Amino acid sequence: MQKKSDTSERTKANLLESFWKLYNENTFSKIKIKMITDLAGYNRCTFYQYFTDIDNLLEYAEDKLINELIAYLDIAINNLESKDNIIKAAETYEHFGYYLSILLGPNGDPAFSTKYKNALKPLLFNKFNLDNNDPRIDIICDFSLGAIISSLVNWYDKKMPISPESLASLLNTLLTEGLISLIKKESLH
C-alpha cells in the first residue's frame, strides 16, 4: 500500500515538473496555474494544497534547485586550484543545466543569479577559509561566480560544444592565469 506522504511528494514533483516544462517554453508571466494543473493532470485545488500561487511555486523551485546544487558542489569542491574540482562542477552543471538555463536565460528570473551567487558564497567561504568580512573577497567571489555561472549556462545552451573536461580546463585557466593572459596566449596560436 502506498503511503500518503509518497503520493503527496509525487504529486508535488509532478506539479513542479509541469512548471519547468511550461517555463522552458514561456515567460514566467504567461504561466497560469490552470496550465500547470492541466499538464500535470490535476485540478486547481490540488495545486493549492502545495503552493499559494505561482510566485510561491517559483520560489520553491529555485530554493530546491539551489539546495541540490550546493549539496553536489559541497561534495565536488575541495581544492580551489584543482582542475578536477572544476570538472566535477561542470558535470554538476551538465546535470542541472536544463533548470539553470531556464532560470538564467532570457526569459528567466532576473533575481535568480544574485540569489544563487549569495547561496554559493558561504560554501566558498567555508571550503577555502575565506574572510567573509573582507569586501574585496566578496567582490572577487561575486565576479568569479558570475563569470563561471554565465559560462556554464552558455556552454549548456550551445549544446555543450566542448567536453566538460575542456570547459573545466578553460575555466581553470581563466581563474588561475586571468583573462588577459589567456587572450594573449590564444592570439599567438
Side-chain angles (χ1 to χ4, degrees), residues 26-95:
N26 302 281
T27 60
F28 178 73
S29 63
K30 291 185 179 174
I31 301 172
K32 306 297 179 214
I33 293 171
K34 181 167 179 25
M35 295 166 67
I36 296 168
T37 56
D38 284 352
L39 185 59
Y42 302 111
N43 60 41
R44 289 175 64 88
C45 293
T46 302
F47 178 91
Y48 289 114
Q49 288 177 335
Y50 302 96
F51 307 105
T52 56
D53 55 26
I54 299 274
D55 290 324
N56 179 240
L57 173 57
L58 175 63
E59 184 177 340
Y60 172 80
E62 289 178 348
D63 290 346
K64 183 176 181 353
L65 178 63
I66 286 172
N67 290 334
E68 289 173 358
L69 278 159
I70 288 175
Y72 269 73
L73 292 172
D74 187 33
I75 294 167
I77 298 173
N78 292 312
N79 178 344
L80 194 55
E81 295 180 17
S82 168
K83 197 181 291 185
D84 289 341
N85 287 325
I86 297 175
I87 290 171
K88 289 175 188 174
E91 289 169 347
T92 299
Y93 281 91
E94 183 178 13
H95 180 73

Side-chain angles (χ1 to χ4, degrees), residues 17 23 34 37 71 75 92-93 126 128 136 147 149 151 172-174 178:
E17 183 181 330
Y23 201 3
K34 181 167 179 25
T37 56
I75 294 167
T92 299
Y93 281 91
N126 290 335
F128 307 116
R136 295 171 305 148
I149 291 167
S151 298
N172 187 55
T173 302
L174 281 167

Side-chain angles (χ1 to χ4, degrees), residues 122-166:
L123 175 67
L124 294 178
F125 287 129
N126 290 335
K127 283 280 188 182
F128 307 116
N129 298 316
L130 301 173
D131 181 3
N132 62 354
N133 295 316
D134 185 340
R136 295 171 305 148
I137 298 293
D138 185 60
I139 290 168
I140 290 167
C141 285
D142 194 70
F143 175 84
S144 301
L145 289 171
I148 291 169
I149 291 167
S150 178
S151 298
L152 290 167
V153 169
N154 178 293
W155 170 69
Y156 183 86
D157 285 345
K158 290 185 176 170
K159 311 279 188 257
M160 298 169 267
I162 59 176
S163 69
E165 293 80 12
S166 295

